[in-house]
Every structure is written in structure tokens, then in C-alpha cells.
Amino acid sequence: MAIMVNIKGLSKHFGHFPAVNDIAFTINRGEVLGLLGPNGSGKSTTMKMATGFLLPTTGTVEICGIDMSANPIDAQRHIGYLPEGASTYPDLTPHEYLTFIADTRHINGAEASLAIDNAITKTNIEQVQHQPIGTLSKGYKRRLGLAQALLHDPDVLILDEPTDGLDPNQKREVRKLIAEISPHKAIIISTHLLEEVDAICSRVLIIAEGKIVANGTPEELKQQSKYFHAVCLTVPASHAYDVITTLKGNMPNTKIDSSASRQNAVDVIVFEEQGNDVLPTVITLSQEYHWPVERITHRQGDLDDVFSQLTQSPSITMDENPPPKKTETSTPRSSSSETFHYHPAASVGVITLRDAWSVCRRELISYLSTPIAYVFVVVFLATIGAFTFFLGGFFTQGQASLDTFFQFHPWLYLFFIPAITMRLWAEERANGSIEILLTLPISTLSTVLGKFLSAWIVVGLALLMTTTIWFTVNYLGTPDNGAIAAGYLGSFFMAGGYLAIGACMSSVTNNQIVAFILATLLCFIFTASGLSVVLEFFNGWAPPWVLETIANFSFLTHFRDISRGVVDIQNITFFSSTILFFLYANFVAVEHSKAA
């Protein structure tokens, strides 16, 4: 059988805390691997590393023979991932969201329509496919997350709590679906529902304290239960003492537990630690002593018992709890201590306009599906109009010029642009949708560029709507239209600089308010450094080159020249360099979050 997932020596440390400690296993095509463990055991961290969302501290992940660290995008093409929570975009409809997923996976035209329809049908979300995701129930959102994971018919499915939030009927549907597709895929399922493992998993890994403590089929693991081949006798409470005494006298090598099953009845559980079957002896004794047995149950082991045994012991290791000897598919724990090597070129990936446009288009839909873009445009137009005509004295200056119009642009951008960029990354981090976004087969730089372009387009549209003022000044006089055109060009590039700063600040936090404050402060520094009051503060004690450097970092200095019609390559280069620098810083911040 083909090995689809090969994990070797995988570890992840958060500071000094080892969340995952030297895990190794393989999954073949046709296997459904159940990943079990208590909260905080490292299950989700392992799955995040397997999908490329988190970078391991040490070890390797291979998906269909492709090294995730060296070729993440190629590896991610083979993966369908449903993270815990599966947060999506509340402003989109399921159909729009699946269209975006198809686009990022380069599925187009009739093929995309067919793939989307199949995913919608398989997950039974037809009736809500055109309803905003934000209005859907938790169950529908979960099924939508499963739909996006299945959309491209991946070779490897990684599902974190796939039935969380579903009702019993929906759980059965999902389990049936997984069973139907499992022969052609390798599937990893993390779940807390042990009956789910029994129903659909062909193999089970139990993780505790970041280590694998058991690896085998459900049946093999049940054999590790202390109650494997145990016999439970339900007898009247009045006879319980005699039954227990007789069992101890005739079966000295057995263990006996008892508990009240209901009023006036007791369950007496008989078992051997070696797992030998005690049923024949118990039946013989019950017949010989004429016990009034109400019910007799022959247990075959319970995953609940095994799970408790293996995960409640402190500092448990594989050596203390080895996997069953019969497990043929289990992989020995790797002793590799090879340090993970970060491949910057692999993470950067190839910037493709197609991928960037896919992200850009999704962001534009979000802007236009909510009041964000409309409020920004209306308030920007109202404010720039009020400042130009009233505060700037447009009519009283007596000349056909837009100097009073352009002089307010840097100060308006200073506050308005952080308001529109604060959601770009912070919102993704806060609601968890970033986990799916960064495991799609798109380079991080393409994603960064797409988000930036969407915000730049919105600002550009707002700026374009101010051209009515340009028409007005032409109606009233004969302005220098070349200088005005240069002013619009400079304003657009300056807006790009502010946007790049805002997007970068949004990528370092999951709080939109914090992102807004950081962006505003940094934009203020880039704006105010050219003010005369700032330069005068340094004048007299700082050398001339310091003053010149500070002035050259000011958006005001470079925009002022352009708005007067002086389109100097130095000014355009400054704004272009600022945009590129902060977009790269945005990329570094996102990549750092993977390695943190």
C-alpha cells in the first residue's frame, strides 16, 4: 500500500514547553487514523504541522512523498483540511466561499461548478448555499468547512473534530461519507468521541503529553483494557457478598470489582490482568452455587478504559505502554533529533497574479458585502469636501488650483486608512479563518499582495470619486491639469504606503483596535517627520545629514513635490520602496507566526 503521510521525529516547542515530542507514524492509502488524546496533549498541534500551518521545531512531514518544509505549496495541493472551529468569512455565502476555495486551487469553469455542486451535495448544505455564512448555525458552518476540505478530492484528509456541533443524524451522515471515500484516501481524524473511532477508524493513535502512547487498530487497543474478557454478573444486593466470597475462593488469580447497578442490585465484575477469558469458570460456578443471576455480560474491552489507563498516568511514555504486538501498520518512534531547517524560498513561494487576484477578489467581496467600504468612501468624500471647500477656502482663494484639496490628503489618510486595514489580518487571526487561508496552496506573498491590493482598490475608488472636484475647478477656471494629474498619482502612491503600513500592523496582532492604534502611530511618524516643528527640534544640535534623512522619510515632503506637478523618480521610488518594505515585513510577520 502507498504511504500517503510520513511523519518522522516531529516535535514542536512553544518556548520551553514541548507541545509535541518526537512523534513518528505513517498512514497508507485506505487508512482512517483516529487521533486521540486529552486536551492539551498535542493532537491539534500535530495536525497543524502536518498541514504546514505551523512549522515544526524538529522533524519532517511528507505528504504523498513531498517534503512539507521544502515544497509546502505542492504538498498542500494534496491536502484537504478541516481545522477545529473551521471559521470562515461571515460576509460570504457558502457558494461564494467554495468558489473562492476552488479558485485558489486552480479549479475553473465547468470543473469548478461540478466540484462545488458535489461538495455541497455531499455535505447536504444545498438549502443554505446562498445564505450569508454569518447567519448559519454551528452545524451548517461545520459542514461547510468539511465541504471546502472535500472540494478538490484530496489524497489526504485531515479533519479536526469533524462532527463537532452536528446533531446525531448529521454525525451519522458525516461518518457514512468518510467511510465511503476512505478506500481512496489517507484520513486523519482528531476526535473526543470514542464511538466515532469505533465506527470509522481503522487505526488509532493515542497521544499524551506530546508523545504517542498507543498505536493500533481499535480491536487491538481494546485488548489493553483491564476489562478485556471480563465477565459482569448482575445479582441481587442480598446475594452480592456470597457471590464475591465464592469467586475469590475459587478463582484466586482474578480481580473483582463491584458497583451498584440500580436499587437492590449489584454488578460484580470478574477479570484477569492477563486478559484470559474467565467466562466458562464463572458460568460453572454460578450453576454450581445456584446464584440468582439477573444478567451476565461478557466484555470485549472498552476504548474508554484504555484511554483512561494511558492518559491519566503522569509522564507516561511509549516504553511504559507499548503498542500491541499485532499492529502491523504502526511505525516505531523515531529517534531522530534532526533539527528542522527553515526554507525561506519555499515559504515565499511564487507570486502569481492569479493567486493574488483570487485573494484580492475575496477581500473585495468582503468589503462590498459589509458597510466597511461604503462607510469609508462616504465619510472620506464628505470630509475631504468639507476640508477643501470650507476649511481650505477653495472659493475664497481666487485661483483655479487644487492645492487646498491635496494638502489635506496625508492627514485624512493618517486616520482613515488604518481604519480600513485593521481588519485585513487581525480579523483572520481572531476568528481562526487564517488557518484555512494559510494551508491553501498559495504562497504567503501572494496572499499578502492580494489583501493589500483589495484595500488599495477601495481607496483608489474613493479617490476616483473626488474627481468631481477636478471637474469643478476646470469649470470655474483654467487649472494646470498636468499638476492635478500628478497630485492624484502621488496621492494614490502615498495611500499605498499608508496601506502597506496598516496591513503590516494588522498582521502582528489579533486585535483590530490594537492594529488601528499601531498603524496610526507609525503613519503619524512617517507623516510628521517632515513638519517644520519636528525639523526645528533637531536643528542646531543634529548634523545636517540627520535633518535631511528625517525630512526624506516624511510622506509630506515627497507628496508635496508631486502635488505641485514635480513627478520626480526619487519621490515615486520612495513611495514604492515604502510599499515593498512593509509588504515584506507583513510577509515576515505572517511567516513568523508559523514558526512561533
Side-chain angles (χ1 to χ4, degrees):
M1 298 176 69
I3 295 178
M4 308 299 287
V5 179
N6 188 7
I7 290 178
K8 297 180 288 186
L10 199 64
S11 297
K12 181 64 179 180
H13 292 191
F14 294 105
H16 296 292
F17 174 70
V20 174
N21 192 358
D22 197 21
I23 281 181
F25 61 89
T26 61
I27 308 175
N28 298 324
R29 186 184 297 277
E31 277 195 295
V32 180
L33 178 70
L35 203 58
L36 299 178
N39 291 333
S41 61
K43 304 188 304 297
S44 292
T45 301
T46 299
M47 300 178 92
K48 289 175 182 179
M49 288 189 286
T51 60
F53 179 70
L54 284 180
L55 301 178
T57 304
T58 61
T60 59
V61 174
E62 290 183 0
I63 304 295
C64 298
I66 303 169
D67 189 331
M68 179 65 75
S69 64
N71 299 292
I73 293 176
D74 288 342
Q76 286 165 344
R77 294 190 196 284
H78 294 273
I79 296 175
Y81 179 40
L82 174 67
E84 186 177 9
S87 298
T88 51
Y89 304 104
D91 40 278
L92 300 183
T93 66
H95 197 278
E96 288 172 336
Y97 177 62
L98 293 176
T99 300
F100 164 65
I101 297 296
D103 202 22
T104 61
R105 294 190 176 280
H106 297 185
I107 305 173
N108 304 298
E111 183 184 0
S113 297
L114 181 60
I116 292 170
D117 289 343
N118 284 340
I120 287 174
T121 301
K122 284 180 180 179
T123 54
N124 196 22
I125 57 173
E126 296 98 326
Q127 64 188 50
V128 298
Q129 62 176 305
H130 298 298
Q131 185 176 325
I133 295 172
T135 65
L136 301 183
S137 67
K138 182 178 180 180
Y140 275 120
K141 289 178 181 177
R142 201 66 183 150
R143 283 190 275 170
L144 174 60
L146 182 59
Q148 67 80 25
L150 295 169
L151 180 71
H152 56 297
D153 192 23
D155 295 306
V156 177
L157 263 178
I158 300 178
L159 311 175
D160 199 349
E161 301 286 350
T163 59
D164 182 40
L166 303 184
D167 62 39
N169 290 331
Q170 294 167 346
K171 287 180 180 180
R172 282 194 294 270
E173 290 174 7
V174 170
R175 292 168 186 170
K176 180 181 177 182
L177 174 61
I178 292 173
E180 288 175 352
I181 64 177
S182 62
H184 310 290
K185 305 183 185 304
I187 303 176
I188 304 177
I189 295 178
S190 172
T191 180
H192 287 100
L193 304 175
L194 297 181
E195 71 271 16
E196 194 158 84
V197 173
D198 251 341
I200 58 177
C201 294
S202 56
R203 186 156 59 96
V204 181
L205 281 184
I206 299 180
I207 299 178
E209 298 181 6
K211 299 178 180 179
I212 296 176
V213 297
N215 184 351
T217 67
E219 291 304 317
E220 289 168 341
L221 291 187
K222 288 177 184 178
Q223 294 176 23
Q224 296 189 54
S225 169
K226 69 177 183 179
Y227 292 125
F228 180 64
H229 280 166
V231 174
C232 178
L233 298 168
T234 303
V235 298
S238 58
H239 290 75
Y241 178 78
D242 292 337
V243 170
I244 293 173
T245 302
T246 304
L247 287 169
K248 288 181 177 180
N250 289 274
M251 304 176 68
N253 295 324
T254 59
K255 299 285 185 178
I256 299 176
D257 289 343
S258 63
S259 62
S261 62
R262 65 180 188 279
Q263 187 177 10
N264 298 323
V266 173
D267 284 340
V268 178
I269 304 172
V270 188
F271 60 97
E272 285 193 8
E273 289 185 343
Q274 293 78 15
N276 296 325
D277 195 352
V278 297
L279 180 61
T281 305
V282 172
I283 290 177
T284 299
L285 289 173
S286 68
Q287 292 173 344
E288 180 179 346
Y289 288 92
H290 303 289
W291 292 332
V293 177
E294 297 181 8
R295 184 175 64 247
I296 185 166
T297 306
H298 191 208
R299 295 191 177 183
Q300 295 301 314
D302 194 318
L303 282 177
D304 268 321
D305 297 331
V306 177
F307 183 83
S308 297
Q309 290 170 208
L310 296 179
T311 60
Q312 289 182 354
S313 300
S315 303
I316 198 164
T317 65
M318 278 284 284
D319 293 331
E320 295 170 348
N321 291 274
K325 294 180 180 179
K326 295 180 181 179
T327 303
E328 298 177 357
T329 53
S330 61
T331 300
R333 183 165 62 96
S334 171
S335 60
S336 171
S337 59
E338 178 185 357
T339 302
F340 170 78
H341 294 288
Y342 179 62
H343 298 271
S347 296
V348 170
V350 178
I351 303 178
T352 66
L353 291 179
R354 172 180 178 150
D355 291 341
W357 174 242
S358 296
V359 176
C360 176
R361 183 165 53 190
R362 194 215 67 76
E363 291 288 337
L364 285 174
I365 292 174
S366 290
Y367 278 126
L368 299 177
S369 299
T370 61
I372 296 175
Y374 304 104
V375 170
F376 170 80
V377 170
V378 170
V379 175
F380 176 77
L381 292 177
T383 307
I384 195 66
F387 279 26
T388 301
F389 291 107
F390 299 105
L391 188 61
F394 176 78
F395 292 111
T396 60
Q397 67 178 346
Q399 54 181 323
S401 169
L402 287 186
D403 288 344
T404 56
F405 168 69
F406 287 121
Q407 70 179 348
F408 294 112
H409 282 208
W411 303 104
L412 291 180
Y413 288 156
L414 173 62
F415 295 100
F416 282 118
I417 285 183
I420 202 172
T421 59
M422 65 183 186
R423 59 170 292 278
L424 283 179
W425 291 97
E427 186 178 41
E428 298 257 19
R429 286 179 178 274
N431 66 23
S433 58
I434 193 171
E435 198 163 340
I436 291 179
L437 180 64
L438 295 185
T439 53
L440 293 172
I442 304 179
S443 70
T444 303
L445 277 180
S446 293
T447 305
V448 168
L449 180 61
K451 283 179 168 287
F452 167 77
L453 287 176
S454 67
W456 208 7
I457 289 172
V458 171
V459 175
L461 291 174
L463 189 61
L464 186 64
M465 292 182 186
T466 66
T467 54
T468 54
I469 300 177
W470 189 356
F471 299 148
T472 300
V473 78
N474 271 275
Y475 177 77
L476 297 175
T478 309
D480 184 350
N481 286 311
I484 294 176
Y488 269 98
L489 178 65
S491 181
F492 185 63
F493 270 90
M494 180 173 61
Y498 283 118
L499 286 167
I501 293 172
C504 180
M505 294 301 99
S506 180
S507 68
V508 301
T509 178
N510 60 2
N511 188 305
Q512 295 189 50
I513 302 301
V514 172
F516 173 81
I517 294 172
L518 291 175
T520 302
L521 288 175
L522 192 54
C523 288
F524 178 76
I525 292 173
F526 271 86
T527 303
S529 60
L531 293 175
S532 57
V533 65
V534 175
L535 297 178
E536 287 174 5
F537 173 78
F538 291 95
N539 191 24
W541 60 273
W545 66 268
V546 173
L547 291 175
E548 184 178 355
T549 300
I550 293 173
N552 282 335
F553 269 101
S554 172
F555 281 22
L556 288 175
T557 302
H558 295 278
F559 177 63
R560 189 181 299 118
D561 291 341
I562 297 177
S563 65
R564 292 171 180 170
V566 183
V567 185
D568 193 318
I569 189 65
Q570 180 181 355
N571 296 324
I572 298 298
T573 301
F574 168 79
F575 287 121
S576 300
S577 300
T578 302
I579 292 171
L580 292 175
F581 174 82
F582 280 101
L583 287 182
Y584 183 73
N586 187 345
F587 159 77
V588 171
V590 174
E591 286 296 303
H592 182 265
S593 69
K594 294 182 179 182

